[in-house]
Amino acid sequence: RLAFYMENFLNTFKPKQVNKKNWVINIPMEEKPLDLFCCQDLGGIVLKMFDNPNEWIGKGIGVAGDSLTGTQIAELFTLYTGIDHYYKPVSVEDFKKQRIQGAIELGNMFAFYQQFAGKLRDVKRTREIYPETLDFRSWLELNAGAFKG
């Protein structure tokens, strides 16, 4: 079970400029933590499972590199980009009305994420399997240039 891809912040969920000095992050998570995962880490985790098939056959794991609230995500964007970011939650129902492809399906995904926040994925266990798993801070450090202006 994968978490919300950090790479989603590079496109559909990229922070939006409000004015010259402020950017906003709108995700429908209220103040519940959102489990985050970097796509590049999937290969390392899958490889560990292939290397130890007897440990993993018939089992599943929820993987995540981080678990942060919208406010925490915005604070990290501010820290790593030098541009003020803030979190403005949007309701799932309002999100579903947006004119973006897949808004209804994405809204349903966020409703699921809200309902099971903190219950489906295990950041600590993910790091035990693949210690190189990126947390959001490390991912932003690598990708901050994509958000500067």
Side-chain angles (χ1 to χ4, degrees):
R1 292 179 302 263
L2 297 175
F4 184 82
Y5 295 131
M6 296 175 191
E7 289 79 4
N8 287 325
F9 289 111
L10 294 170
N11 47 58
T12 304
F13 294 92
K14 191 170 187 171
K16 293 174 181 51
Q17 189 169 7
V18 177
N19 56 45
K20 278 187 155 184
K21 295 183 179 183
N22 295 294
W23 292 68
V24 64
I25 296 169
N26 295 106
I27 50 175
M29 283 300 293
E30 300 171 347
E31 271 303 317
K32 295 179 181 175
L34 176 64
D35 293 333
L36 302 160
F37 188 72
C38 176
C39 292
Q40 76 180 28
D41 293 331
L42 182 57
I45 289 172
V46 171
L47 182 62
K48 296 287 185 176
M49 291 177 174
F50 281 138
D51 285 345
N52 300 292
N54 292 333
E55 181 181 345
W56 295 104
I57 290 175
K59 297 179 184 172
I61 182 171
V63 295
D66 221 329
S67 187
L68 301 169
T69 64
T71 299
Q72 291 170 318
I73 291 168
E75 288 169 354
L76 287 172
F77 265 107
T78 297
L79 179 66
Y80 283 92
T81 65
I83 301 166
D84 287 334
H85 285 73
Y86 66 93
Y87 173 57
K88 183 178 179 185
V90 59
S91 73
V92 168
E93 291 310 311
D94 285 344
F95 183 85
K96 288 180 181 183
K97 295 174 190 171
Q98 292 185 24
R99 292 183 148 182
I100 60 171
Q101 187 173 6
I104 293 171
E105 292 82 0
L106 288 167
N108 291 337
M109 175 189 76
F110 281 111
F112 179 83
Y113 284 173
Q114 282 186 28
Q115 183 178 355
F116 295 101
K119 299 176 187 169
L120 296 176
R121 294 167 198 89
D122 187 338
V123 174
K124 182 179 175 190
R125 180 70 176 123
T126 301
R127 289 210 193 323
E128 289 170 0
I129 297 167
Y130 187 63
E132 295 87 352
T133 299
L134 292 178
D135 60 11
F136 192 61
R137 181 180 295 261
S138 299
W139 182 86
L140 265 177
E141 210 172 294
L142 294 170
N143 292 281
F147 303 100
K148 293 183 179 182

